[in-house]
Amino acid sequence: SGPVLALVGATGAVGTVMIDIMNGRESVPWGEIRLIASPRSAGKKITVRGEELTVIALSPEAFDGVDVAMFDVPDEVSAEWAPIAAARGAVAVDNSGAFRMDPDVPLVVPEVNADQISVRPKGIIANPNCTTLSMMAALGALHREFELRELVVASYQAASGGGQAAIDRLYAEISALAGKDVGVRAGDVRETLEAAGLPVSDSPFPAPLALNVVPWAGSLKDDGWTSEELKVRNESRKILGIPELKVSATCVRVPVVTTHSLAVHATFAREVTVEQAHKLFEEQPSLVLVDDPAALKFPTPADVVGGDPTYVGRVRQALDFPNTLDFFVCGDNLRKGAALNTYEIAEELVTRL
Ligand code: 2RA
């Protein structure tokens, strides 16, 4: 026996990583793991920790007896079903955008604000957006000591943040361009993709992604900001508990399959040295410091993808801005950025059920 865990969206990209994470754990606290998905995927068999489980269709009864229900489904599905799970007695841990900014729903990164797990008036806990999440462990550690005041970030976001279709598109573009002398004349990448049957009008991205960078992620919001940039601002404020934090973000998609990176420029109330920052990063178990500029050692997505920690490097004291650090983080957007953080919240809940 033990608590019952449900995984809603078990057959999706992040759901699959959640199962990988559970399969990789030495032990899990669950007496039962229940896999739930759309009726289309019901009946599918998936092996979890050596046991073949049958995926069941999403229904109110599917939550009977469930203690913790992890959701990785589109916003509208979470908006409808997380409250149903909660009404049936489960705590819903939701990785969609449906509840993140709801004042009655805690937005949790366990190593930053685990204490907020216990106050959940709606029976729902939200998992942050992967872009915000990728820098939270580092910023949380610095904020505890030096009091964060201002944050300017540029993201370098991987295709997989846009789902499987976005990954497929990036690979297709790379294949279509491989071996060709393109990227030397304005428009030649677009034209080559079009000639290969890959017009940008069919892409999840608003411009070619291969051999390019695209300063756009999410949807258009007021005054030219994207949804992704506003999430970085609003979610950072909520997670760190600094409602007045000054934040400015520019979110950019890069031709990387998985692992988001961010260039962070963070200003604190007090002076902070590189040595002090290094020490805090080294003490934080979910961070790995890779910062030896003389040896050209720093994190890159290609070197960290598939791992659980967030990697931090290029830590510098800003030359012209007092009390300010610049640094670079890389985190696997499907693991800590989504599945792992959600699962860590679920395990943390077990100690507080
Ligand atoms: C992205 N942050 O990278 C989004 C995914 N939730 O597109």
Side-chain angles (χ1 to χ4, degrees):
S1 75
V4 178
L5 175 74
L7 169 51
V8 186
T11 56
V14 174
T16 304
V17 177
M18 280 173 177
I19 292 170
D20 275 358
I21 286 168
M22 287 193 277
N23 284 340
R25 286 275 207 263
E26 215 159 272
S27 65
V28 297
W30 315 108
E32 179 193 334
I33 296 172
R34 205 173 286 176
L35 304 183
I36 301 176
S38 65
R40 197 164 27 87
S41 300
K44 210 177 152 189
K45 311 255 188 242
I46 300 179
T47 302
V48 184
R49 301 187 64 79
E51 200 182 327
E52 189 177 80
L53 303 180
T54 304
V55 176
I56 62 170
L58 183 57
S59 74
E61 297 71 36
F63 297 104
D64 286 346
V66 170
D67 296 290
V68 179
M70 304 193 294
F71 280 76
D72 196 85
V73 291
D75 290 5
E76 63 282 6
V77 180
S78 280
E80 183 183 348
W81 287 93
I84 294 173
R88 297 242 160 186
V91 181
V93 185
D94 180 40
N95 187 36
S96 83
F99 299 100
R100 287 179 186 142
M101 295 317 296
D102 184 326
D104 290 329
V105 173
L107 183 64
V108 174
V109 181
E111 59 269 59
V112 179
N113 62 347
D115 50 309
Q116 295 187 18
I117 284 174
S118 309
V119 188
R120 39 172 203 266
K122 291 191 169 164
I124 300 171
I125 297 170
N127 191 65
N129 183 35
C130 46
T131 314
T132 313
L133 243 178
S134 301
M135 61 181 174
M136 271 308 123
L139 281 175
L142 292 168
H143 174 56
R144 274 193 296 274
E145 291 286 321
F146 301 104
E147 214 182 304
L148 184 63
R149 290 280 168 84
E150 295 175 19
L151 188 58
V152 180
V153 301
S155 73
Y156 303 77
Q157 293 179 226
S160 60
Q164 191 58 45
I167 300 175
D168 294 345
R169 173 76 194 192
L170 176 58
Y171 281 132
E173 289 189 2
I174 290 171
S175 300
L177 300 174
K180 304 222 164 68
D181 289 330
V182 286
V184 292
R185 180 177 58 75
D188 65 359
V189 171
R190 271 178 204 266
E191 288 159 16
T192 310
L193 291 175
E194 181 133 11
L198 294 169
V200 167
S201 55
D202 289 350
S203 172
F205 305 110
L209 188 58
L211 298 184
N212 209 9
V213 296
V214 182
W216 192 263
S219 56
L220 180 62
K221 298 292 175 192
D222 288 347
D223 300 320
W225 294 98
T226 65
S227 54
E228 197 74 4
E229 289 157 352
L230 297 184
K231 284 178 192 179
V232 168
R233 177 170 182 256
N234 297 332
E235 295 180 18
S236 297
R237 289 174 164 185
K238 183 168 176 178
I239 296 161
L240 294 166
I242 321 173
E244 71 289 357
L245 182 66
K246 291 184 181 175
V247 185
S248 194
T250 300
C251 289
V252 180
R253 194 74 68 180
V254 295
V256 164
V257 177
T258 294
T259 292
H260 285 355
S261 306
L262 292 117
V264 181
H265 175 91
T267 300
F268 300 87
R270 293 179 284 286
E271 187 183 8
V272 44
T273 65
V274 170
E275 292 67 33
Q276 286 170 315
H278 275 181
K279 184 162 180 289
L280 288 174
F281 294 156
E282 278 169 340
E283 285 168 1
Q284 171 61 249
S286 63
L287 294 176
V288 173
L289 180 68
V290 183
D291 196 11
D292 185 354
L296 297 180
K297 293 241 185 304
F298 36 73
T300 75
D303 295 318
V304 313
V305 60
D308 286 346
T310 300
Y311 293 75
V312 198
R314 300 295 327 280
V315 185
R316 288 148 292 152
Q317 230 175 358
L319 296 176
D320 299 317
F321 300 87
N323 305 346
T324 299
L325 287 181
D326 285 272
F327 57 91
F328 192 73
V329 295
C330 295
D332 185 316
N333 51 300
L334 302 180
R335 292 185 77 90
K336 182 63 178 173
L340 177 64
N341 198 71
T342 306
Y343 186 72
E344 286 172 345
I345 295 171
E347 279 210 345
E348 186 76 36
L349 269 166
V350 173
T351 62
R352 300 163 196 248
L353 281 172

